[in-house]
């Protein structure tokens, strides 16, 4: 399970949404999902998980509670997080990188 509760991740996302510019908010509206707990490939057997908050085709955005940042990557499996290709302290910073 994640180190962050569902209520906490929902609160973080709500705060982050208020920091998005118009272009980022439009992108976010298209890709956001209800938070889901996924496991990293090397932590699945230990019950480690992180909240996935956006998904478009194989691309994901999740909150890594260990690194305390939002991350993005492309997955090739169901409910298994990929290695991140981008990360940022805020959702707005991450969306600016991946947009």
């Amino acid at each position: 399970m994640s180190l962050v509760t569902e209520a906490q991740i929902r609160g973080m996302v709500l705060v982050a949404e208020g920091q998005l510019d118009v272009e980022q908010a439009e992108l976010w509206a298209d890709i956001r999902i209800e938070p889901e707990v996924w496991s990293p490939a090397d932590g699945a057997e230990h019950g480690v998980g992180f909240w996935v908050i956006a998904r478009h085709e194989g691309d994901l955005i999740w909150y890594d509670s260990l690194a305390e940042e939002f991350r993005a990557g492309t997955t090739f499996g169901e409910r298994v997080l990929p290695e991140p290709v981008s990360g940022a302290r805020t959702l707005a910073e991450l969306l600016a990188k991946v947009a």
Side-chain angles (χ1 to χ4, degrees):
M1 191 53 115
S2 176
L3 299 176
V4 173
T5 67
E6 184 173 356
Q8 289 171 315
I9 194 65
R10 287 183 182 280
M12 284 190 276
V13 169
L14 187 62
V15 168
E17 287 173 341
Q19 299 170 347
L20 301 178
D21 64 27
V22 173
E23 185 178 328
Q24 291 169 334
E26 289 173 356
L27 171 62
W28 180 246
D30 289 340
I31 64 173
R32 70 173 292 175
I33 62 170
E34 289 297 313
E36 302 175 351
V37 176
W38 286 34
S39 296
D42 62 353
E45 67 278 8
H46 304 294
V48 175
F50 302 104
W51 289 103
V52 174
I53 57 172
R55 186 175 187 182
H56 181 260
E57 298 173 358
D59 297 327
L60 305 174
I61 294 178
W62 66 93
Y63 184 75
D64 183 332
S65 56
L66 299 176
E68 296 183 341
E69 69 177 13
F70 292 93
R71 293 189 169 183
T74 301
T75 188
F76 298 100
E78 188 60 32
R79 292 212 175 277
V80 177
L81 290 178
E83 287 295 317
V85 295
S86 190
R89 294 282 175 208
T90 69
L91 185 60
E93 291 170 346
L94 182 62
L95 289 173
K97 289 182 178 183
V98 299

